[in-house]
Amino acid sequence: MTTMESLIGLVNRIQMACTALGDYGGEDQTFSSLWDALPSVAVVGGQSSGKSSVLESIVGRDFLPRGSGIVTRRPLVLQLHKMDEGQQEYAEFAHLPDRQFTDFSLVRKEIQDETDRVTGKTKQISPVPIHLSIYSPNVVNLTLIDLPGLTKVAIEGQPESIAQDIETMVRSFVDKPNCIILAISPANQDIATSDAIKLSREVDPMGERTFGVLTKLDLMDKGTNALDVLEGKSYRLQHPWVGIVNRSQADINRNVDMILARQKEREYFATSPDYGHLASKMGSEYLAKLLSKHLESVIRARIPSITSLINKSIEELESELDHLGRPVAIDAGAQLYTILELCRAFDRIFKQHLDGGRPGGDRIYGVFDNQLPAALRKLPLDRHLSMQNVRKVVSEADGYQPHLIAPEQGYRRLIEGALNYFRGPSEATVDAVHFVLKDLVRKSMEECQEMKRFPTLQSTIAGAANEALERFREDSKKTVVRLVDMEASYLTVEFFRRLPQEVEKGGNPAAATTDRYSEGHFRRIGSNVSSYVNMVLETLKNSVPKAVVYCQVKEAKQSLLNHFYTQIGKREGRQLSDLLDEDPSLMERRLQCAKRLELYKKSRDEIDSVSWV
């Protein structure tokens, strides 16, 4: 294989791989850029200019749909691959990768069917390309893109914008600096009216990317010829014009073999009195070789930029594969290790939220510093210690025999009743912290990128974490309620021992005994109880947060998944595999990335191995 064949064959293989991986025309700009960086040849011409016949002459096969009006309604990306002599030629479609076509009439039918699948059986067009590869000893390595023929008016069944739609589609290909334009013009029409030349002049004003092709030379009026065009006198391009003689309609009707048609074309130019001196530079075979040679020179010039883009793509793919994670091992031990590693990754993020490395943990302090004090302030202690209620409670506590000195039972009942109100805010604090922890579990799960690969494991771990938080909440509630009950079960004696002393300091202790049933007496009882309750309240404002942190926050940090670890160690291989059942979309993305990475590395190696002779 020559260097030129290696170069063009390499580009063809990269383009084929891009097509197979969906990179051509896809949403991924890096991958689409690789396709755009590879040179290709776009075939442009007006309707009935002979575009299809030129392509068939280059291929040496009759395989394109024919008819009147717009026949090519979707771009056809045609990749030609030269085979060794004696091998059977065949065709493959990208949308049918497992099927080889050796009957080229079926290729024509499949092109028509695939076109209809997207556009329907109408005259509508679509920019979605059809990708066809042909392997044959009778072709040169080349990529050609057959585009819908340019038109000026809409026919029945087409939108009025059809002419502009087609031109926009064609421009989307020929505007690219790496696109070589094969401008097809019929010789029996004035070159000044050629749609292909007009468009190519706009996108390639210097004619550096344009190859002019004149078809239907044999159909010109007698006594006329196209020498002025072919010799570059009428319209000069940087590259030579090439004349083509396609099969006549009669030849097509008789199914004249394309190889025989090539021979007749050679004979036409060799024996033509007008074009005989140009015979060696005319015909479809010469055109194919000319394009292939030019393509090779363009590829040489583009190799550095192609290599740079491939290296960039490799870096991005390797980074994405690291992000997606490598495929899961099938060994049960390795699967268990993967699960535990994912659990640790989640647990690290959760702890970062609690410790301040990530936002969220400060909300727990907000519960202690704002919600708990606010709830305690809203307690109905004023109503409980009102004159009327104090009198009622003390009187009920005395029973049939009034108290002699101090209403101890009345004091106890008033204090116990007040402290019972503390249960609600204490339990509400436990619940508030519980909901913060649950939300941090949810956030941590969302932020654990590695976990997103395995939705089943993700939900299982989240469930286990929430179950653990429920257990911690129950323990915490029991603890804070116990704290309240402890305060109610044993009163601080020292506080009350100071009360008589304070009365005596008033200077008339006897007066205190005479007004024990007066309003002042009950007001003093209420004031004493209020002072004691406020003292206990300050104590609980400190002890309840400590209990909550100890029973919930600390436990969540230290043993959130301990029960899950115990259970997971008992599972067998199939159960572990079920947990590591990945999201199908991620599996597909990883597979596509791995294929692309393999393609780009292989392409880079092939580029490096080509000998630049």
Side-chain angles (χ1 to χ4, degrees):
M1 182 180 290
T2 66
T3 303
M4 181 177 74
E5 289 173 336
S6 298
L7 280 171
I8 300 175
L10 169 61
V11 170
N12 269 5
R13 287 193 294 276
I14 296 175
Q15 287 174 328
M16 283 182 64
C18 288
T19 300
L21 295 174
D23 291 346
Y24 177 75
E27 295 179 359
D28 195 316
Q29 295 302 310
T30 300
F31 299 143
S32 295
S33 296
L34 178 58
W35 175 280
D36 292 341
L38 302 174
S40 57
V41 181
V43 185
V44 181
Q47 289 182 24
S48 303
S49 62
K51 287 192 303 90
S52 296
S53 295
V54 171
L55 284 173
E56 289 182 334
S57 296
I58 291 174
V59 174
R61 276 290 185 174
D62 190 352
F63 68 99
L64 293 172
R66 294 184 177 276
S68 59
I70 299 180
V71 177
T72 304
R73 292 182 284 124
R74 289 176 60 184
L76 175 67
V77 180
L78 176 62
Q79 292 175 307
L80 306 180
H81 305 265
K82 185 172 181 59
M83 302 169 68
D84 294 333
E85 291 294 334
Q87 291 185 290
Q88 184 179 15
E89 55 188 347
Y90 64 92
E92 284 183 343
F93 288 93
H95 62 275
L96 297 172
D98 299 325
R99 182 179 175 187
Q100 292 185 354
F101 292 78
T102 54
D103 184 346
F104 280 77
S105 64
L106 296 179
V107 174
R108 180 190 301 112
K109 183 178 184 302
E110 182 57 34
I111 293 173
Q112 187 64 58
D113 292 346
E114 178 63 12
T115 299
D116 291 344
R117 186 181 67 81
V118 173
T119 64
K121 294 183 179 295
T122 65
K123 295 298 182 181
Q124 301 290 335
I125 64 170
S126 168
V128 180
I130 298 173
H131 294 271
L132 172 63
S133 296
I134 294 179
Y135 300 79
S136 170
N138 304 314
V139 300
V140 294
N141 288 314
L142 201 58
T143 296
L144 300 161
I145 304 173
D146 186 21
L147 298 169
L150 298 166
T151 185
K152 293 182 174 62
V153 295
I155 63 174
E156 186 177 353
Q158 293 177 338
E160 290 298 323
S161 62
I162 189 69
Q164 184 60 48
D165 294 344
I166 292 176
E167 183 174 335
T168 300
M169 182 196 303
V170 173
R171 282 181 181 274
S172 69
F173 286 87
V174 300
D175 274 339
K176 297 170 183 174
N178 291 322
C179 179
I180 300 165
I181 304 168
L182 194 61
I184 311 294
S185 304
N188 56 354
Q189 294 180 14
D190 188 349
I191 195 67
T193 64
S194 169
D195 296 320
I197 291 299
K198 176 178 179 294
L199 182 60
S200 65
R201 180 186 295 171
E202 293 175 5
V203 299
D204 180 31
M206 302 301 294
E208 297 173 344
R209 299 187 285 120
T210 303
F211 283 81
V213 178
L214 273 187
T215 60
K216 304 184 181 183
L217 290 168
D218 54 329
L219 300 181
M220 296 184 69
D221 294 336
K222 287 186 178 182
T224 62
N225 61 51
L227 281 176
D228 284 350
V229 177
L230 292 175
E231 292 176 350
K233 297 176 182 177
S234 296
Y235 184 78
R236 180 174 295 278
L237 296 170
Q238 296 285 345
H239 306 286
W241 283 81
V242 179
I244 299 289
V245 174
N246 297 321
R247 290 181 300 168
S248 65
Q249 189 60 49
D251 290 339
I252 294 172
N253 294 339
R254 293 198 306 270
N255 293 320
V256 172
D257 181 78
M258 290 300 303
I259 302 301
L260 180 58
R262 283 183 179 178
Q263 183 179 341
K264 291 177 66 177
E265 183 185 41
R266 288 194 298 270
E267 292 174 355
Y268 172 83
F269 285 111
T271 59
S272 169
D274 294 322
Y275 311 117
H277 65 293
L278 298 174
S280 63
K281 296 183 179 180
M282 295 289 122
S284 56
E285 289 180 290
Y286 173 76
L287 175 63
K289 292 176 182 177
L290 179 67
L291 289 173
S292 185
K293 183 177 180 181
H294 178 72
L295 197 57
E296 188 255 350
S297 66
V298 173
I299 293 171
R300 283 184 185 276
R302 302 294 183 190
I303 283 296
S305 61
I306 293 173
T307 303
S308 175
L309 188 56
I310 287 176
N311 287 332
K312 179 184 176 185
S313 299
I314 288 174
E315 291 178 5
E316 292 179 355
L317 283 167
E318 288 178 336
S319 175
E320 183 168 5
L321 279 174
D322 288 339
H323 177 72
L324 292 172
R326 300 296 173 175
V328 179
I330 58 175
D331 174 69
Q335 289 177 343
L336 180 59
Y337 176 80
T338 299
I339 291 172
L340 294 178
E341 280 294 297
L342 291 169
C343 290
R344 282 189 279 269
F346 158 75
D347 199 43
R348 278 194 301 272
I349 296 174
F350 180 71
K351 288 176 180 177
Q352 288 171 0
H353 278 292
L354 291 176
D355 294 334
R358 295 173 186 250
D362 56 308
R363 291 161 55 194
I364 295 176
Y365 177 72
V367 172
F368 301 150
D369 196 47
N370 299 313
Q371 288 181 239
L372 177 59
L376 292 173
R377 284 195 297 271
K378 292 179 181 179
L379 295 177
L381 295 178
D382 289 344
R383 185 174 71 246
H384 181 70
L385 297 177
S386 65
M387 180 69 66
Q388 181 181 359
N389 194 58
V390 170
R391 187 190 301 273
K392 176 175 176 293
V393 171
V394 171
S395 298
E396 290 177 351
D398 282 348
Y400 71 92
Q401 184 173 343
H403 61 273
L404 298 177
I405 300 177
E408 182 173 331
Q409 290 302 316
Y411 269 106
R412 290 187 180 278
R413 289 191 182 186
L414 285 169
I415 291 172
E416 288 175 1
L419 295 184
N420 278 335
Y421 286 119
F422 291 174
R423 287 191 176 197
S426 300
E427 290 181 321
T429 300
V430 171
D431 289 336
V433 171
H434 173 75
F435 290 125
V436 171
L437 292 173
K438 279 189 69 174
D439 190 54
L440 294 182
V441 165
R442 179 187 62 79
K443 284 186 176 180
S444 302
M445 195 62 70
E446 290 176 352
E447 293 168 9
C448 186
Q449 297 298 327
E450 303 95 322
M451 195 76 74
K452 291 182 179 180
R453 291 175 57 187
F454 310 105
T456 302
L457 179 63
Q458 191 177 40
S459 62
T460 302
I461 293 178
N466 287 328
E467 286 178 9
L469 292 180
E470 287 290 344
R471 291 195 299 273
F472 302 155
R473 174 164 71 168
E474 291 305 313
D475 290 343
S476 187
K477 277 192 176 182
K478 290 177 183 177
T479 301
V480 297
V481 169
R482 190 175 291 119
L483 284 175
V484 175
D485 290 346
M486 286 165 57
E487 292 290 348
S489 65
Y490 185 80
L491 305 183
T492 304
V493 178
E494 186 63 28
F495 178 87
F496 293 98
R497 283 177 176 171
R498 290 199 301 267
L499 293 180
Q501 297 172 7
E502 292 174 357
V503 172
E504 290 172 4
K505 289 176 185 176
N508 189 7
T513 61
T514 59
D515 64 353
R516 67 185 60 174
Y517 297 110
S518 68
E519 183 174 315
H521 177 64
F522 290 114
R523 184 179 295 110
R524 189 160 44 253
I525 292 173
S527 175
N528 291 339
V529 171
S530 178
S531 297
Y532 184 81
V533 168
N534 286 331
M535 182 189 72
V536 174
L537 182 148
E538 292 301 319
T539 300
L540 290 176
K541 279 170 64 175
N542 294 320
S543 59
V544 167
K546 291 179 180 180
V548 169
V549 168
Y550 183 81
C551 295
Q552 287 175 270
V553 181
K554 185 180 177 183
E555 283 298 307
K557 283 181 64 176
Q558 294 180 346
S559 58
L560 182 64
L561 295 178
N562 281 7
H563 182 69
F564 176 77
Y565 292 147
T566 303
Q567 297 300 313
I568 198 68
K570 301 176 182 178
R571 298 202 181 191
E572 298 181 356
R574 179 59 185 274
Q575 295 171 313
L576 296 176
S577 297
D578 291 342
L579 286 177
L580 295 175
D581 183 19
E582 284 190 274
D583 184 337
S585 63
L586 287 179
M587 294 175 65
E588 179 62 24
R589 181 62 180 169
R590 185 192 301 109
L591 179 62
Q592 291 297 315
C593 285
K595 286 182 178 179
R596 289 186 176 108
L597 184 59
E598 182 182 6
L599 156 70
Y600 293 148
K601 285 185 175 179
K602 185 176 180 182
S603 300
R604 182 178 61 184
D605 293 342
E606 286 198 57
I607 290 174
D608 292 341
S609 68
V610 172
S611 175
W612 310 116
V613 179

